[in-house]
Amino acid sequence: MDTGMAAMMEAMHASGYTGNPDVDFLAMMVPHHQGAVDMARLVLQHGRDPATRQLAEEIIAGQTVEIDSMQRRLALLRKDVCVGSPEFPSLGGTRGPQ
């Protein structure tokens, strides 16, 4: 877990800062969420508690969708084609019950 955390922290800061808080936020959140996925995969490999394993599976499913959404939005922001656009790529219902 420590190795994964160190890699996540390095990846979060690797792109540096652009001065655009939206771009900087998303650029840091993608590796942050990927770190959660990586740790959840470790639990699936080594964990024994069924409830914790179920939570790890849910984290992988939810975070994977969010990573994809953040990457797509980040690409649009970096191209400057969506500034001021309120649309956000669908999160596929990962925000919990309505």
Side-chain angles (χ1 to χ4, degrees):
M1 294 270 183
D2 285 343
T3 301
M5 288 291 291
M8 177 192 72
M9 293 301 292
E10 183 177 331
M12 285 176 64
H13 297 282
S15 64
Y17 297 100
T18 66
N20 179 331
D22 299 314
V23 169
D24 293 343
F25 169 75
L26 292 171
M28 292 182 77
M29 287 304 291
V30 169
H32 176 74
H33 279 51
Q34 185 60 53
V37 169
D38 294 344
M39 287 190 288
R41 286 190 177 130
L42 286 173
V43 169
L44 293 180
Q45 290 175 1
H46 304 287
R48 306 256 187 273
D49 177 55
T52 302
R53 291 176 56 82
Q54 176 65 37
L55 180 58
E57 289 174 355
E58 292 172 10
I59 287 169
I60 291 168
Q63 298 291 309
T64 300
V65 170
E66 290 191 7
I67 289 167
D68 180 61
S69 295
M70 288 186 289
Q71 287 173 329
R72 287 184 286 134
R73 186 61 177 183
L74 183 57
L76 291 172
L77 286 170
R78 284 181 170 154
K79 290 179 185 176
D80 235 4
V81 295
C82 64
V83 175
S85 171
E87 293 88 23
F88 189 84
S90 173
L91 294 177
T94 62
R95 298 287 178 181
Q98 299 297 331

